[in-house]
Amino acid sequence: MSVEVADVSFFYNKGTSLEKKALDKVSFSIAKGEFILITGEVGSGKSTLVRHLNGLLKPHSGSVRINGIDSTSKKLRSKIGLLMQYPQRQLFGKTVFEDVSFGPSNFGLKDEELNERVSASLTLAGLSHDIADLSPFSLSGGQMRLVALAGVLSMRPEYLILDEPTSGLDPENRASLFSTLSHLKGRRISVIVVSHQIYDFLPFADKILLLKNGCVDFIGSRDEYLQSIASPIPEITSFMKELQKCGFEVTSNIYSVDDAFNEIIRALGSNGVNENE
Ligand SMILES: Nc1ncnc2c1ncn2[C@@H]1O[C@H](COP(=O)(O)OP(=O)(O)O)[C@@H](O)[C@H]1O
Ligand SMILES: [Mg+2]
């Protein structure tokens, strides 16, 4: 099952003097469980594109199909979670609990089961259960974003869309977000992240889509992206390349400090084994 975007074009204010083409024959697909990073300059059409994925917008031509179903179908509502660019606008509850429980309680979850779902969602979003009785509007901007994320996760979506999720997050909340993404990666959930901060998300991305003026400028794997588009390459990747040049048997397909650490430990370990042989 997958997302299939085929030849999608979309105009704002169509048919008026203010008509503006925001997407121009965009095509790509996302396989189940894949992590895709959608990037591009401000105004390139990223938010417009993801609003098509959860059916908020309907293409003027082309189609968006999710698990073979048109993306505007109500059947898909609970399967696609969208954390908006300004997620504070997604909050409405008097308490954090009310906010995070809203979706699952509408789907019939009650009592202990509902409490457990809220607890698990707060934990997955990196938040303490202690804030459940607070007003979401009394929290910091970063925490509000994570509460909105917990609300989206509480529906256990198959597809999770995050529009510029790191904007306005302090280092601690950023770390929570990245830890949430690490937990989600590898589960049967497809994550679609929109960000112009490419290097933040490279460690997670299976695929990268670069939009330019509403058109697909590049789509491919992370390695293809780094070879053909990215400049400069991330510092940690060039560090690994330098180690290779010095004769260390490490891979240079590394995009995060954690992965570099593990790869160096692995290489040192396997050297040790060779010496003992
Ligand atoms: N509600 C709107 N009405 C008219 N034009 C819009 C609206 N939202 C976005 N646009 C225009 O559509 C283009 C794509 O916008 P958007 O999808 O928000 O880009 P991005 O998320 O990449 O910054 C931009 O030129 C933007 O000005
Ligand atoms: Mg945007």
Side-chain angles (χ1 to χ4, degrees):
M1 288 298 157
S2 59
V3 174
E4 296 289 340
V5 175
D7 255 344
V8 165
S9 295
F10 180 82
F11 304 80
Y12 285 104
N13 306 311
K14 189 161 171 51
T16 73
S17 57
L18 295 173
E19 181 169 299
K20 158 92 197 153
K21 193 180 234 187
L23 294 176
D24 189 4
K25 299 201 176 80
V26 170
S27 296
F28 66 99
S29 64
I30 307 170
K32 187 86 200 127
E34 206 167 35
F35 193 119
I36 183 167
L37 170 63
I38 299 178
T39 190
E41 288 174 9
V42 171
S44 57
K46 305 181 296 296
S47 293
T48 306
L49 176 58
V50 293
R51 279 187 226 129
H52 279 80
L53 300 182
N54 81 333
L56 276 177
L57 293 176
K58 211 172 152 50
H60 287 114
S61 62
S63 65
V64 181
R65 300 183 79 74
I66 290 164
N67 299 353
I69 301 171
D70 189 88
S71 67
T72 53
S73 163
K74 280 187 184 154
K75 281 189 222 154
L76 288 170
R77 281 249 163 102
S78 66
K79 294 197 191 310
I80 304 160
L82 170 66
L83 183 70
M84 293 186 195
Q85 190 163 357
Y86 305 100
Q88 292 84 335
R89 295 186 195 158
Q90 267 173 283
L91 301 172
F92 53 86
K94 282 199 209 65
T95 63
V96 167
F97 182 90
E98 198 178 307
D99 240 303
V100 178
S101 63
F102 181 78
S105 67
N106 271 347
F107 271 79
L109 239 60
K110 285 201 282 276
D111 308 327
E112 204 44 43
E113 234 186 334
L114 186 61
N115 286 337
E116 276 169 19
R117 181 69 70 90
V118 170
S119 253
S121 308
L122 287 172
T123 305
L124 186 53
L127 291 164
S128 153
H129 196 80
D130 297 346
I131 64 165
D133 295 329
L134 301 179
S135 160
F137 301 101
S138 69
L139 303 171
S140 72
Q143 281 183 315
M144 281 162 79
R145 187 177 283 266
L146 296 179
V147 169
L149 175 61
V152 173
L153 292 171
S154 72
M155 291 298 287
R156 306 239 164 112
E158 267 180 54
Y159 298 92
L160 175 66
I161 307 170
L162 308 167
D163 195 352
E164 304 282 358
T166 49
S167 68
L169 290 189
D170 63 21
E172 197 182 325
N173 289 327
R174 273 168 69 92
S176 289
L177 177 77
F178 291 134
S179 150
T180 306
L181 292 179
S182 308
H183 278 106
L184 293 175
K185 195 162 161 70
R187 293 193 189 181
R188 276 178 54 79
I189 178 165
S190 306
V191 182
I192 299 146
V193 169
V194 170
S195 182
H196 57 270
Q197 288 167 319
I198 306 166
Y199 293 140
D200 279 352
F201 296 97
L202 273 186
F204 303 100
D206 299 309
K207 202 185 245 183
I208 296 178
L209 169 67
L210 174 65
L211 282 180
K212 198 170 186 177
N213 295 325
C215 298
V216 175
D217 197 40
F218 170 88
I219 178 132
S221 71
R222 176 172 61 188
D223 292 342
E224 288 163 347
Y225 177 83
L226 286 169
Q227 277 157 20
S228 59
I229 308 277
S231 95
I233 62 170
E235 278 183 22
I236 195 68
T237 311
S238 29
F239 172 73
M240 297 304 279
K241 283 189 197 291
E242 287 303 316
L243 283 183
Q244 269 182 341
K245 279 190 211 153
C246 297
F248 282 90
E249 289 180 5
V250 290
T251 168
S252 59
N253 295 344
I254 295 283
Y255 310 102
S256 74
V257 172
D258 277 355
D259 289 347
F261 178 80
N262 290 332
E263 175 61 6
I264 291 168
I265 293 291
R266 187 201 59 74
L268 290 176
S270 59
N271 275 348
V273 170
N274 289 340
E275 275 165 23
N276 291 338
E277 272 169 0

